[in-house]
Amino acid sequence: MAGSCFKTRLLSLCDYKTEKYIVAKNKKVGVLYRLIQLTIVGYIIGWVFLSKKGYQETDESIQSSVITKLKGVSVTNTSDSGLLVWGPEDYVIPPQGEAVLFVVTNFLETPNQKLGYCAESSKVVDGHCQSDTDCREGHTIVAGNGQMTGRCLGGDANSTGTCEIYGWCPVEKKYKPQRALLANAENFTIYVKNFIQFPKFSFSKSNVLETSDESYLKTCRYDDEVHPYCPIFRLGDITRRAGYNFQDMAIYGGSVGVMIDWDCDLDKGYSQCHPQYHFTRLDTSVSNRSVAVGFNFRHTRYFKHHTGEIHRSLFKVYGVRFNIMVHGKAGKFSIVPTAINVGSGLALLGAGAFFCDMVLLYLMKQSTSYRERKYEETRQSKGASQDNSMEERRNSTDLTKLNE
Amino acid sequence: MAGSCFKTRLLSLCDYKTEKYIVAKNKKVGVLYRLIQLTIVGYIIGWVFLSKKGYQETDESIQSSVITKLKGVSVTNTSDSGLLVWGPEDYVIPPQGEAVLFVVTNFLETPNQKLGYCAESSKVVDGHCQSDTDCREGHTIVAGNGQMTGRCLGGDANSTGTCEIYGWCPVEKKYKPQRALLANAENFTIYVKNFIQFPKFSFSKSNVLETSDESYLKTCRYDDEVHPYCPIFRLGDITRRAGYNFQDMAIYGGSVGVMIDWDCDLDKGYSQCHPQYHFTRLDTSVSNRSVAVGFNFRHTRYFKHHTGEIHRSLFKVYGVRFNIMVHGKAGKFSIVPTAINVGSGLALLGAGAFFCDMVLLYLMKQSTSYRERKYEETRQSKGASQDNSMEERRNSTDLTKLNE
Amino acid sequence: MAGSCFKTRLLSLCDYKTEKYIVAKNKKVGVLYRLIQLTIVGYIIGWVFLSKKGYQETDESIQSSVITKLKGVSVTNTSDSGLLVWGPEDYVIPPQGEAVLFVVTNFLETPNQKLGYCAESSKVVDGHCQSDTDCREGHTIVAGNGQMTGRCLGGDANSTGTCEIYGWCPVEKKYKPQRALLANAENFTIYVKNFIQFPKFSFSKSNVLETSDESYLKTCRYDDEVHPYCPIFRLGDITRRAGYNFQDMAIYGGSVGVMIDWDCDLDKGYSQCHPQYHFTRLDTSVSNRSVAVGFNFRHTRYFKHHTGEIHRSLFKVYGVRFNIMVHGKAGKFSIVPTAINVGSGLALLGAGAFFCDMVLLYLMKQSTSYRERKYEETRQSKGASQDNSMEERRNSTDLTKLNE
């Protein structure tokens, strides 16, 4: 008996059970439901799958390596430095071709600085003095050039002088750049080699066009229409595409972002994954006037006299800082996001049905009738306390008979 | 006939079909189901939408550009180097204002090194010797200072000497730093300019406060309570906030991470997106004693005698390495994640109903009755082998009649 | 009366409503449905939860700080530079231990360059000339070494000369590297300290093995089998693991990526989160022949004669550029992704049921019978225009009677 019961149970597992539906011949709600269905299906297919590629697993953790190489020569002639020739080994800082690199376009050399005593620069406001008491001995000013000796040079009751300091003398003079000294830096070229990898998909590629024409990479220049995949950029073109004039920017320097954007649909294959270049100026913004425009820093070259005394040349260099940033996203078909998106869409269909039910059961004229048809009350409503399952079974058998 | 049939079909598409429910007047399961419903709805609204902002599409692939500028002067006086003045051009390495920068706080200069023959440093354990046979001619030790000549200097059966090497002589002496030479580096300031971009939302912003008060950015110092958006930091404050004393750290050097955290809710607008700063020490950990504390490296300055001979100054510099790391997340309302989250929540409601069904149909006293009411058997239970669809149709017509 | 009605409503909220199912004793569809159910449940458990860890919230925005330190000495002997000793302060560029570092393996020194007039290098094709008219005075060639003076040196109708330039003279000679000068760079070691952080989970760790054995970190060398967590790498081992011979690569230089991969299951605890190292060559690819193999750049050392004249040494250095890239992902149990995945899976079950319904209702022999049983028509089919809700109620009461 138990075996037969078990067998019945097992067999009943193979019965297919399907929800019983009530057909409400209500055109309004019917059409409303069809509209909701269409909207949701349209959203799933159109937006999720076609526009957002919801069937793809995405990898945004791009691994990137950038190498840069500049070419170009410039000659400058200043009273302090004389006739100078600048090659990439001088104007690119650091010279080893990093993703963040600085190109000198303007400079101020303070040659032959020696450690000693001299007047603080008049640029340093805290170094102004009228008498020795204004200069605290042994004190250093945060924005100053050395340590105060306690003496005030050239200051008296009527005129403002500057404190004497111990430091690298003479101090850098005041300088208001008027024009870019390395004016032809505009024509320098930068070769950007970018190697990327999407670890999740074991996909790697380089931005250098795969071409059998060897001379192409020697002569091409990037142009978003004619040569969109040429990795060699003219500096003047970069700033122009960022919306600024190179010569204006070269005077005080600036910071330019070169974004390399990899948006790869790996379902389409290796050759369809191309970089796109975007250029932005980073050190200025229309809305934010408080950011000082320009970019400069100081570096030094140390020399030794034959007497053993150290002296140095201080260079204040202005220039354009290029920041090559790589951003990327790869998508590839995957069952998990597809299932999540389809599943969620279907669940939304259920929500649509629930909404239509509410309309049908509570807002329509014949609501009560629909409600009573939809919710079939069990006999427990009357005989709940009896718990007579034998009778239940008989009743339901009766029902089955009736239904035949 | 076919046309009429097609028309009927088409019309029936506009009928609304709704699941038929059985009302089980079982308070226990009813309350259980309501509780499950409330829990899930609460979870969706409270956790997913309010706490985790599940209605937003997020972009974590922040693009960031960091420029730093240090200010401050320090004077050191040592027997090897004499009285030296250190400006940012000397103590910041590299000087061009990168996101990873090193500030010298302590140093050991080995001046006037020349290529020649001298004894290996006694720090190099593999360079110890007792006789010439311990020194392999032409051999270089990985941690050594030059190439062995094969002679042992000062070593005999009783005492340990060191091998003679060809290298930059004299070799660097043993040095155990006692105090930081650039003690006032604590008061140096660092100006951090951070420009960020969320490519997905075309949103960009800078950490420099947008203020019309020009002097603010000259005088303010970061303070998480008073000036949380001032981008100028005192070095001593940074280490203090990371939990360490600057003077202690300055002796052997160290590594400090400055995290700039952008957590932007773009639904709230541009002005509500602010950076937050966090500071951590990176080169030490409570749990990991095997990481050597401190940070130092060596760099050189090359000079040429008037005789043409090259000599150099070797600097072993200890200092604090600042690593400015930018992390960010932007969220903006989007229909896809909203639909996914609502959809999944609704599907969970279905899971709740399924669970309650199980309780009702298998755990309640009147289970059998419920089961028979819920699962309406088709006539196939008796006439499955007949497959007489004509009879089926008649039967169902009977049913329809009965239902009237 | 209204109160009683409200009470009834309230009580009815506690009734449990469950869908009414029709049992279709159709084994084919039944088995099909069970198979679909099993597939979906298997997919959810096996793929989503076990393989993809769908119950975890993941953080891919790893914060990482990398410090490197090299050890090793090399001696070179060339006619231009004489006997030179190279320590890390010379061959590592930049010397401060960044994540991107360059190790010199080969070099060409052009000593004693002075500003003056000389012939352009014959390497510069645009500098070739046959008469003075080929050399535009004041013009600079992008890939050249200086500014043309307008004179053609050594060129006439029969032979090709080169234009005279003003620049750093003598210009660098032609050089075709034959062998790596710093041959034993293969044995140099690099100590990589990597500190990572997953901001979302406030989890941080270092790649340096936590060991109480202090000598371990002094003697160990990375080996993926014996010492997988030793952070000290032999340069030759790195290139070998990337699939290249160090000596071949050292001649013209190259670029090697060291990927540190953190795949952390934070549910398993702190100690189970280990880095994995992968090595790839970045400057060459089988598919892309257009990327020039090799890596070199130029840097300079400036000297001053006792006469005040500046001269310099130009170094063209070839070498291996190591790019340490950190990639990581951390996962931790979270209720949101679990709910999303479970929910979507359940919704897919609904899709399975819908599919089986379609099969049952339109493809089976007894489709019509099933259809009529499933879709119970409301009386509106006949009396829709009457809108007599009183009659409706009576009808449904009749039905309830019939059902008893």
Side-chain angles (χ1 to χ4, degrees):
Chain A
M1 197 59 187
S4 133
C5 176
F6 178 74
K7 203 182 156 196
T8 316
R9 276 281 169 89
L10 206 71
L11 274 175
S12 83
L13 270 183
C14 294
D15 290 341
Y16 180 63
K17 287 155 197 140
T18 179
E19 287 110 336
K20 180 155 187 168
Y21 277 80
I22 288 172
V23 178
K25 290 212 172 286
N26 187 310
K27 293 279 174 287
K28 284 180 207 156
V29 180
V31 168
L32 176 71
Y33 183 59
R34 290 293 162 201
L35 281 180
I36 291 176
Q37 271 186 325
L38 276 179
T39 310
I40 292 172
V41 169
Y43 150 77
I44 295 177
I45 294 176
W47 183 248
V48 177
F49 282 92
L50 296 186
S51 164
K52 291 275 167 177
K53 294 196 177 131
Y55 56 89
Q56 290 189 332
E57 187 180 26
T58 57
D59 184 358
E60 300 200 8
S61 64
I62 190 172
Q63 289 290 304
S64 149
S65 163
V66 173
I67 297 172
T68 52
K69 190 152 202 169
L70 268 107
K71 277 195 177 162
V73 192
S74 191
V75 179
T76 61
N77 195 353
T78 59
S79 55
D80 285 324
S81 316
L83 202 61
L84 272 181
V85 177
W86 295 75
E89 64 276 11
D90 296 312
Y91 65 70
V92 182
I93 298 169
Q96 66 262 29
E98 301 288 340
V100 178
L101 74 159
F102 173 83
V103 176
V104 178
T105 56
N106 212 354
F107 71 99
L108 169 67
E109 186 182 351
T110 311
N112 282 313
Q113 283 192 326
K114 283 169 200 162
L115 278 173
Y117 298 91
C118 56
E120 176 61 278
S121 167
S122 60
K123 286 188 294 183
V124 182
V125 180
D126 293 344
H128 292 180
C129 61
Q130 287 186 308
S131 72
D132 289 359
T133 51
D134 293 340
C135 302
R136 246 172 69 204
E137 194 186 333
H139 185 69
T140 54
I141 305 166
V142 164
N145 293 296
Q147 195 173 33
M148 290 183 184
T149 59
R151 289 177 56 199
C152 179
L153 301 177
D156 56 37
N158 300 318
S159 67
T160 303
T162 49
C163 295
E164 192 191 54
I165 54 160
Y166 178 79
W168 291 95
C169 291
V171 295
E172 195 181 79
K173 63 181 179 189
K174 265 189 176 175
Y175 174 61
K176 194 93 180 158
Q178 299 299 326
R179 58 180 196 87
L181 293 170
L182 282 81
N184 72 333
E186 196 170 352
N187 296 319
F188 295 170
T189 60
I190 179 167
Y191 185 172
V192 177
K193 288 188 207 173
N194 177 215
F195 177 90
I196 58 134
Q197 209 173 17
F198 290 106
K200 202 189 266 177
F201 303 124
S202 304
F203 178 89
S204 61
K205 201 166 179 179
S206 155
N207 74 325
V208 180
L209 190 70
E210 296 176 26
T211 172
S212 50
D213 178 6
E214 291 216 359
S215 67
Y216 180 74
L217 287 175
K218 283 184 181 152
T219 56
C220 78
R221 293 289 175 275
Y222 173 79
D223 184 292
D224 54 0
E225 278 166 20
V226 187
H227 298 298
Y229 305 130
C230 170
I232 300 172
F233 303 82
R234 221 180 122 258
L235 298 199
D237 284 350
I238 291 180
T239 54
R240 186 172 51 79
R241 284 171 202 283
Y244 291 85
N245 179 277
F246 189 87
Q247 292 304 333
D248 294 346
M249 203 161 163
I251 301 173
Y252 284 98
S255 185
V256 172
V258 177
M259 275 84 172
I260 308 185
D261 205 354
W262 295 84
D263 189 355
C264 292
D265 184 345
L266 300 188
D267 294 330
K268 284 193 185 150
Y270 181 82
S271 59
Q272 293 302 306
C273 173
H274 286 303
Q276 279 201 296
Y277 302 93
H278 302 285
F279 309 92
T280 336
R281 184 159 185 183
L282 300 179
D283 65 325
T284 186
S285 73
V286 184
S287 66
N288 193 350
R289 305 223 145 266
S290 50
V291 182
V293 168
F295 186 70
N296 64 71
F297 64 88
R298 289 176 184 83
H299 72 99
T300 53
R301 277 183 199 151
Y302 282 85
F303 303 106
K304 211 177 217 173
H305 256 282
H306 62 280
T307 58
E309 197 190 21
I310 300 276
H311 58 118
R312 72 176 194 183
S313 280
L314 176 67
F315 289 85
K316 180 173 186 180
V317 286
Y318 298 80
V320 185
R321 184 181 188 261
F322 293 95
N323 198 340
I324 294 157
M325 303 186 234
V326 182
H327 173 242
K329 201 179 73 182
K332 203 174 191 173
F333 173 77
S334 169
I335 194 74
V336 175
T338 311
I340 287 181
N341 280 306
V342 170
S344 318
L346 291 172
L348 283 180
L349 282 180
F354 179 73
F355 174 71
C356 291
D357 272 12
M358 291 297 110
V359 172
L360 185 75
L361 300 183
Y362 297 104
L363 295 182
M364 289 289 127
K365 272 189 183 165
Q366 316 98 309
S367 300
T368 327
S369 133
Y370 285 127
R371 218 146 60 219
E372 276 164 0
R373 295 279 298 158
K374 182 175 169 82
Y375 297 116
E376 180 185 321
E377 307 238 338
T378 58
R379 261 67 33 77
Q380 262 62 36
S381 52
K382 287 177 276 165
S385 55
Q386 302 175 352
D387 276 358
N388 185 342
S389 66
M390 287 308 279
E391 195 210 342
E392 294 286 331
R393 194 161 295 162
R394 187 175 52 76
N395 280 348
S396 56
T397 322
D398 291 349
L399 182 77
T400 318
K401 270 188 198 140
L402 272 170
N403 282 342
E404 277 164 39
Chain B
M1 197 60 187
S4 134
C5 175
F6 179 75
K7 203 182 154 194
T8 316
R9 274 280 170 88
L10 206 73
L11 274 175
S12 84
L13 270 183
C14 294
D15 291 343
Y16 180 64
K17 287 154 195 141
T18 180
E19 287 111 335
K20 180 155 188 169
Y21 277 81
I22 288 172
V23 178
K25 290 212 173 286
N26 187 311
K27 292 279 173 290
K28 282 181 208 156
V29 181
V31 168
L32 176 70
Y33 183 60
R34 292 291 163 202
L35 282 180
I36 291 177
Q37 271 185 325
L38 275 180
T39 311
I40 292 173
V41 168
Y43 150 78
I44 295 177
I45 293 175
W47 184 249
V48 177
F49 282 92
L50 297 186
S51 165
K52 291 275 167 176
K53 294 194 178 134
Y55 56 89
Q56 289 189 332
E57 186 180 27
T58 56
D59 184 358
E60 300 200 7
S61 65
I62 190 172
Q63 289 290 305
S64 149
S65 162
V66 173
I67 296 173
T68 52
K69 190 152 203 169
L70 268 107
K71 277 194 177 162
V73 191
S74 192
V75 179
T76 61
N77 196 352
T78 59
S79 55
D80 285 322
S81 314
L83 202 61
L84 271 181
V85 178
W86 296 74
E89 64 276 12
D90 296 312
Y91 64 70
V92 182
I93 298 171
Q96 66 261 31
E98 302 288 340
V100 178
L101 75 159
F102 172 83
V103 176
V104 178
T105 56
N106 212 353
F107 71 98
L108 168 67
E109 186 183 351
T110 311
N112 282 314
Q113 283 192 324
K114 283 171 201 163
L115 278 173
Y117 298 91
C118 56
E120 177 62 279
S121 167
S122 62
K123 285 187 295 182
V124 182
V125 180
D126 293 343
H128 292 180
C129 61
Q130 288 187 308
S131 72
D132 290 358
T133 51
D134 293 340
C135 302
R136 247 171 69 202
E137 195 186 332
H139 184 69
T140 53
I141 304 165
V142 163
N145 293 298
Q147 195 174 34
M148 289 183 184
T149 59
R151 290 177 57 199
C152 181
L153 299 177
D156 56 38
N158 300 319
S159 66
T160 302
T162 49
C163 294
E164 192 191 53
I165 54 160
Y166 178 79
W168 290 96
C169 291
V171 297
E172 196 181 78
K173 64 182 180 188
K174 267 188 174 175
Y175 174 62
K176 193 92 181 159
Q178 300 297 326
R179 56 178 197 88
L181 294 170
L182 282 81
N184 72 333
E186 194 170 354
N187 297 319
F188 294 170
T189 59
I190 179 169
Y191 185 173
V192 178
K193 288 188 206 173
N194 177 213
F195 177 91
I196 58 134
Q197 210 173 16
F198 290 106
K200 201 190 266 177
F201 303 125
S202 304
F203 178 89
S204 60
K205 202 168 177 178
S206 154
N207 74 324
V208 179
L209 190 69
E210 295 176 26
T211 171
S212 52
D213 178 6
E214 291 215 0
S215 68
Y216 180 75
L217 287 175
K218 285 186 179 150
T219 55
C220 78
R221 294 287 175 275
Y222 173 79
D223 185 292
D224 55 0
E225 278 166 21
V226 188
H227 298 299
Y229 306 130
C230 170
I232 300 172
F233 303 82
R234 224 182 119 258
L235 298 198
D237 284 350
I238 292 180
T239 55
R240 187 172 50 79
R241 283 172 203 283
Y244 291 84
N245 179 276
F246 189 88
Q247 293 302 333
D248 295 346
M249 204 161 163
I251 301 172
Y252 285 98
S255 184
V256 172
V258 177
M259 275 84 171
I260 307 184
D261 206 353
W262 295 85
D263 190 353
C264 292
D265 185 343
L266 300 189
D267 294 330
K268 284 191 187 155
Y270 180 84
S271 60
Q272 292 303 306
C273 172
H274 285 303
Q276 278 203 297
Y277 302 94
H278 302 285
F279 309 92
T280 337
R281 185 161 185 182
L282 300 180
D283 65 325
T284 185
S285 75
V286 183
S287 66
N288 193 350
R289 306 223 145 265
S290 50
V291 183
V293 168
F295 185 69
N296 64 71
F297 64 89
R298 288 175 184 85
H299 72 99
T300 53
R301 278 184 199 150
Y302 281 84
F303 303 107
K304 210 177 217 172
H305 256 282
H306 62 280
T307 58
E309 198 189 20
I310 299 277
H311 58 118
R312 72 176 196 183
S313 280
L314 176 67
F315 288 87
K316 180 173 187 179
V317 287
Y318 298 80
V320 185
R321 184 182 188 261
F322 293 95
N323 197 340
I324 294 157
M325 303 187 234
V326 181
H327 173 242
K329 200 179 73 182
K332 202 174 193 175
F333 173 77
S334 169
I335 194 73
V336 175
T338 311
I340 287 181
N341 280 308
V342 170
S344 319
L346 291 173
L348 284 180
L349 281 181
F354 180 75
F355 174 71
C356 290
D357 271 11
M358 291 297 110
V359 172
L360 184 75
L361 301 183
Y362 297 103
L363 295 181
M364 288 288 129
K365 269 187 185 167
Q366 316 97 310
S367 301
T368 328
S369 132
Y370 286 127
R371 218 145 59 217
E372 277 163 358
R373 296 279 298 159
K374 183 175 170 80
Y375 299 114
E376 180 185 321
E377 307 239 335
T378 58
R379 263 69 32 78
Q380 262 61 35
S381 52
K382 286 178 276 164
S385 55
Q386 302 176 354
D387 277 357
N388 186 341
S389 66
M390 289 307 279
E391 195 211 342
E392 294 286 331
R393 192 161 295 161
R394 189 174 51 75
N395 280 347
S396 57
T397 322
D398 291 349
L399 182 76
T400 318
K401 271 187 198 140
L402 272 169
N403 282 342
E404 279 163 36
Chain C
M1 196 61 187
S4 134
C5 176
F6 178 75
K7 202 182 157 195
T8 316
R9 276 280 169 89
L10 206 72
L11 274 176
S12 82
L13 270 182
C14 295
D15 289 342
Y16 180 64
K17 287 154 197 141
T18 180
E19 287 110 336
K20 180 154 188 170
Y21 278 80
I22 288 173
V23 178
K25 290 213 171 286
N26 186 312
K27 292 281 174 288
K28 284 179 206 156
V29 181
V31 169
L32 177 71
Y33 184 59
R34 291 291 162 203
L35 282 180
I36 291 177
Q37 271 186 325
L38 276 179
T39 311
I40 293 173
V41 169
Y43 150 78
I44 294 177
I45 294 175
W47 183 250
V48 177
F49 281 93
L50 296 185
S51 165
K52 293 273 167 177
K53 294 194 176 132
Y55 56 89
Q56 289 189 332
E57 186 180 25
T58 56
D59 185 357
E60 300 200 8
S61 64
I62 190 172
Q63 289 289 304
S64 148
S65 162
V66 173
I67 296 173
T68 53
K69 192 153 201 169
L70 268 106
K71 278 195 176 162
V73 191
S74 191
V75 178
T76 61
N77 196 352
T78 59
S79 54
D80 284 323
S81 316
L83 202 61
L84 273 181
V85 177
W86 295 74
E89 65 276 12
D90 296 312
Y91 65 70
V92 181
I93 299 170
Q96 67 261 30
E98 302 287 340
V100 177
L101 74 158
F102 173 84
V103 176
V104 178
T105 56
N106 212 354
F107 71 99
L108 168 68
E109 187 183 350
T110 310
N112 281 314
Q113 283 192 325
K114 282 170 199 162
L115 277 173
Y117 298 91
C118 56
E120 176 62 278
S121 167
S122 61
K123 285 188 295 183
V124 182
V125 180
D126 293 342
H128 292 181
C129 61
Q130 288 186 308
S131 71
D132 289 359
T133 52
D134 293 340
C135 303
R136 247 172 67 203
E137 194 186 332
H139 184 69
T140 53
I141 304 166
V142 163
N145 292 297
Q147 196 174 32
M148 289 182 185
T149 59
R151 290 177 58 199
C152 180
L153 300 176
D156 56 37
N158 300 317
S159 66
T160 302
T162 49
C163 295
E164 192 191 54
I165 54 161
Y166 177 79
W168 291 95
C169 291
V171 296
E172 196 181 79
K173 63 182 180 189
K174 268 188 175 176
Y175 175 61
K176 193 92 181 160
Q178 299 298 326
R179 56 180 197 87
L181 293 170
L182 281 82
N184 71 335
E186 195 170 354
N187 297 319
F188 294 171
T189 59
I190 179 168
Y191 185 173
V192 178
K193 288 189 205 171
N194 177 214
F195 177 90
I196 57 133
Q197 210 174 15
F198 290 105
K200 201 190 266 178
F201 303 124
S202 305
F203 178 90
S204 60
K205 202 167 178 179
S206 153
N207 74 324
V208 180
L209 190 70
E210 295 176 26
T211 171
S212 51
D213 177 8
E214 291 215 0
S215 67
Y216 179 75
L217 287 175
K218 285 184 179 150
T219 55
C220 78
R221 294 288 175 275
Y222 172 79
D223 185 291
D224 55 0
E225 278 166 19
V226 188
H227 298 299
Y229 305 131
C230 170
I232 300 171
F233 303 83
R234 224 181 120 259
L235 298 198
D237 284 351
I238 291 180
T239 55
R240 186 172 51 78
R241 283 171 204 282
Y244 291 84
N245 178 277
F246 189 87
Q247 293 303 333
D248 295 346
M249 202 162 165
I251 301 173
Y252 284 98
S255 184
V256 172
V258 177
M259 275 83 171
I260 307 185
D261 205 354
W262 295 85
D263 189 355
C264 292
D265 184 345
L266 300 188
D267 294 330
K268 283 191 186 153
Y270 180 83
S271 59
Q272 292 303 305
C273 172
H274 286 302
Q276 278 202 295
Y277 302 94
H278 302 285
F279 310 92
T280 336
R281 184 159 185 185
L282 299 181
D283 65 325
T284 187
S285 74
V286 184
S287 66
N288 193 350
R289 305 223 147 265
S290 51
V291 183
V293 169
F295 185 70
N296 64 71
F297 64 88
R298 289 175 182 85
H299 73 99
T300 53
R301 277 183 199 150
Y302 281 85
F303 303 107
K304 211 177 216 171
H305 256 282
H306 62 280
T307 58
E309 199 190 18
I310 301 276
H311 57 118
R312 71 177 195 182
S313 280
L314 176 67
F315 289 86
K316 180 173 186 180
V317 286
Y318 298 80
V320 185
R321 183 182 188 260
F322 293 95
N323 197 341
I324 293 156
M325 303 186 235
V326 181
H327 173 241
K329 202 180 72 183
K332 203 174 192 175
F333 172 77
S334 169
I335 194 73
V336 175
T338 311
I340 286 182
N341 281 306
V342 169
S344 319
L346 291 172
L348 284 180
L349 281 181
F354 179 75
F355 174 72
C356 291
D357 271 12
M358 290 298 110
V359 172
L360 185 74
L361 301 183
Y362 298 102
L363 296 182
M364 288 288 129
K365 271 189 187 162
Q366 316 98 310
S367 300
T368 327
S369 131
Y370 285 128
R371 219 145 60 217
E372 277 164 358
R373 294 278 298 157
K374 183 176 172 78
Y375 298 116
E376 181 184 320
E377 307 240 335
T378 58
R379 261 70 35 77
Q380 261 63 34
S381 51
K382 282 178 281 167
S385 55
Q386 302 176 353
D387 277 354
N388 187 339
S389 64
M390 287 307 279
E391 195 211 342
E392 293 287 329
R393 193 161 292 162
R394 187 175 52 74
N395 280 348
S396 56
T397 322
D398 291 349
L399 181 78
T400 319
K401 270 187 197 143
L402 272 168
N403 281 342
E404 274 164 39

